[in-house]
Amino acid sequence: MRQVNLAIIGGGTVGGGVFQALQRNGALMASRLGMELRVARVAVRDVRKARAVKIPAGLLTDDWKAAISDPQVNLVVELMGGTTTARKVVLAALRQGKPVVTANKALLSAHGKELFAAAQKHGANLYYEASVAGGIPIIKVLREGLVGNRITRLYGIVNGTCNYILSRMKLEGADFSAVLADAQRLGYAETPPDLDIDGHDAAHKIGILASLAHGFWVNPKQIYTEGIRAVTGQDIEFAGQLGYTIKLLGVVKRHDEQRAVQVSVYPALVPNSHVLANVNGVFNAVYVRGDVVGDTLYYGRGAGQDATASAVLSDLADAALDLKSGVKSRVAPFVPHERDGRVLPLAEAISRYYVRLNVADKPGTLAKIAAILGRARIGMSSVIQPEGHEGKSVPLILMIHDATNTAMAKAMSQISRLPVIKGAPTLIRVESFE
Ligand SMILES: NC(=O)c1ccc[n+]([C@@H]2O[C@H](COP(=O)([O-])OP(=O)(O)OC[C@H]3O[C@@H](n4cnc5c(N)ncnc54)[C@H](OP(=O)(O)O)[C@@H]3O)[C@@H](O)[C@H]2O)c1
């Protein structure tokens, strides 16, 4: 049986997981593929470090350049993370005509265009299933399963840390900082946690999915990104009373009339009747609407050693089959087919809103707020004053009809200057999934 010889660069959580999974299921994969996947080298930073997954000393090296240049190596697996050395690793392998598998969403988000161009130039494919939503094969879905569709909507819960925090805040009435501390203790959140809770990790992944779905490379700087730091237990509770669950959503919406695609990441109220409201804990889900297929849903573990290893194995299989059949890239890493593709600035996008104000408990307050919204032609669908709140200021919840983000920001700035408003208003978008 023919062999594919792998150089795995990185023997940490994912690298160790891939090594272990190949030990467990390598023979099964070989029988399915007709090709044996053999680990030839594993490059790490420190070969003497104690590792949770034992890797034979004879395979370990701290010289990634030598590992990828090894003449017997014909497939390189980049699992080191980061964007500086990892970029050099991927480019060096591609320049040698060796296909590369990577799980590195930060690298793709920052340098995707350059890496795809290098893959094309050197006739070596780049595979990246593990870079988005861990064990969910969403890249394959967009590039192959739904290739016959125009993707009109894509919504993703793609950051397990944020979903874990929001789920526990809802289910236990727990406070954001207490749950975050717990998540860090359990290893679900990094220290510092900024990349996850400020929405940047989700933006890296949503940018990749949006690019694949719409055929032009989305610059991460164009993705409006808002994390979950400002979501309070009170908002989760009030949203619950209104029949919603707050989720950090990646939102990709095609707007034909504006000839543009909205690509954003923000916390949103999701109706409890929608399936995404029930995706809890560290789980991820991606909801995709195609013009031919209709609505589809993909659910699973979005990160972690085994889920991510499963996605890497899928790429190893594709790479092995391409090598076996002598096809450089049966499926190209990225096919830009929308020359005039444009990301819709969020200011032009239309959203529904949940607004929480702290207002002086005085007659006439609502009339003043309604007058400002009326002048801005922004309609309210409901106004709720939650019971059980007393004192000089009390919460007031407004549910706002469709309004442009610009009109809403202007109206909110006027409302917050009213003497009856205490503190800054809280605005959370409401997703209707239309
Ligand atoms: N962890 C997840 O759940 C997950 C999920 C999806 C995607 N990913 C992505 O997978 C990638 C790897 O993540 P991870 O969690 O496995 O990271 P990790 O546990 O920190 O492992 C990184 C590995 O890279 C090695 N390394 C770092 N610099 C190196 C260098 N200059 N030369 C050789 N080896 C070097 C490290 O060596 P030492 O062991 O000697 O320090 C370590 O083995 C990242 O891009 C991440 O975004 C991770």
Side-chain angles (χ1 to χ4, degrees):
M1 190 182 285
R2 279 178 63 189
Q3 269 184 351
V4 181
N5 293 311
L6 314 175
I8 303 181
I9 315 300
T13 305
V14 182
V18 169
F19 188 80
Q20 199 170 40
L22 280 172
Q23 284 181 317
R24 191 198 307 165
N25 286 350
L28 171 72
M29 287 186 74
S31 63
R32 285 179 173 162
L33 301 170
M35 294 279 275
E36 190 189 336
L37 297 165
R38 179 182 154 266
V39 179
R41 309 298 282 158
V42 180
V44 292
R45 207 168 7 204
D46 177 2
V47 291
R48 283 177 296 278
K49 187 169 156 182
R51 299 184 182 279
V53 174
K54 293 263 174 298
I55 298 172
L59 295 183
L60 287 174
T61 172
D62 57 9
D63 186 348
W64 61 263
K65 286 185 186 157
I68 61 176
S69 304
D70 183 333
Q72 62 170 336
V73 165
N74 51 355
L75 178 55
V76 173
V77 191
E78 183 279 304
L79 300 173
M80 69 192 301
T83 56
T84 310
T85 311
R87 172 176 163 272
K88 292 182 190 159
V89 167
V90 174
L91 286 174
L94 293 173
R95 281 184 193 127
Q96 293 178 37
K98 297 187 180 181
V100 178
V101 171
T102 179
N104 195 333
K105 59 250 166 185
L107 176 69
L108 287 173
S109 177
H111 302 294
K113 250 185 167 173
E114 179 193 18
L115 301 179
F116 296 143
Q120 193 179 16
K121 182 172 170 198
H122 301 287
N125 211 346
L126 181 60
Y127 308 80
Y128 50 98
E129 185 60 70
S131 67
V132 182
I136 307 174
I138 190 66
I139 305 284
K140 215 176 193 45
V141 163
L142 289 174
R143 293 200 307 193
E144 299 182 54
L146 300 184
V147 67
N149 286 259
R150 286 181 193 282
I151 306 301
T152 54
R153 294 285 184 270
L154 184 151
Y155 302 94
I157 294 176
V158 290
N159 184 273
T161 305
C162 289
N163 205 44
Y164 173 83
I165 292 173
L166 293 173
S167 301
R168 280 197 53 192
M169 284 174 76
K170 174 168 177 160
L171 299 174
E172 299 166 25
D175 176 60
F176 173 79
S177 43
V179 183
L180 172 60
D182 229 19
Q184 286 175 316
R185 193 177 49 78
L186 292 167
Y188 292 152
E190 306 269 339
T191 307
D194 313 19
L195 195 65
D196 289 317
I197 64 173
D198 291 330
H200 303 299
D201 173 80
H204 291 154
K205 298 168 182 169
I206 283 300
I208 295 170
L209 297 185
S211 302
L212 285 175
H214 293 284
F216 65 96
W217 192 249
V218 173
N219 182 337
K221 293 195 182 91
Q222 294 175 298
I223 304 176
Y224 172 81
T225 305
E226 194 183 306
I228 62 165
R229 269 182 214 272
V231 177
T232 66
Q234 207 178 29
D235 294 316
I236 289 180
E237 186 191 328
F238 293 156
Q241 289 170 11
L242 294 163
Y244 294 91
T245 299
I246 299 180
K247 293 290 181 193
L248 183 73
L249 275 193
V251 176
V252 182
K253 290 186 193 177
R254 182 187 159 102
H255 293 281
D256 286 331
E257 47 318 331
Q258 283 130 310
R259 302 172 71 86
V261 182
Q262 178 189 335
V263 187
S264 31
V265 171
Y266 46 66
L269 268 68
V270 174
N272 284 340
S273 56
H274 195 275
V275 66
L276 289 182
N278 299 302
V279 174
N280 286 316
V282 294
F283 277 85
N284 280 199
V286 186
Y287 190 89
V288 186
R289 183 173 300 156
D291 65 345
V292 180
V293 69
D295 289 348
T296 60
L297 177 73
Y298 312 90
Y299 171 86
R301 286 190 185 277
Q305 190 165 53
D306 291 343
T308 312
S310 166
V312 172
L313 292 187
S314 155
D315 277 348
L316 295 182
D318 274 349
L321 291 174
D322 283 353
L323 288 168
K324 184 180 168 188
S325 54
V327 180
K328 296 272 183 194
S329 52
R330 186 184 66 85
V331 180
F334 175 64
V335 183
H337 56 80
E338 195 63 67
R339 226 186 275 167
D340 303 324
R342 180 174 84 96
V343 173
L344 186 75
L346 196 74
E348 291 174 33
I350 290 175
S351 309
R352 292 180 185 179
Y353 291 92
Y354 155 103
V355 179
R356 176 171 55 80
L357 302 168
N358 269 324
V359 300
D361 199 5
K362 282 187 191 161
T365 298
L366 184 57
K368 291 187 176 109
I369 296 166
I372 293 175
L373 291 173
R375 279 197 298 278
R377 299 183 176 279
I378 295 173
M380 284 186 283
S381 53
S382 55
V383 179
I384 303 112
Q385 183 135 37
E387 288 181 2
H389 296 270
E390 284 173 14
K392 284 191 184 144
S393 66
V394 291
L396 182 72
I397 311 296
L398 315 176
M399 296 298 277
I400 303 287
H401 274 310
D402 291 348
T404 65
N405 284 258
T406 310
M408 199 57 195
K410 208 166 142 193
M412 277 303 129
S413 125
Q414 288 173 19
I415 288 173
S416 59
R417 287 201 298 273
L418 291 172
V420 289
I421 302 296
K422 312 292 172 198
T426 295
L427 260 84
I428 307 178
R429 290 174 182 80
V430 179
E431 195 48 67
S432 61
F433 298 93
E434 284 166 357

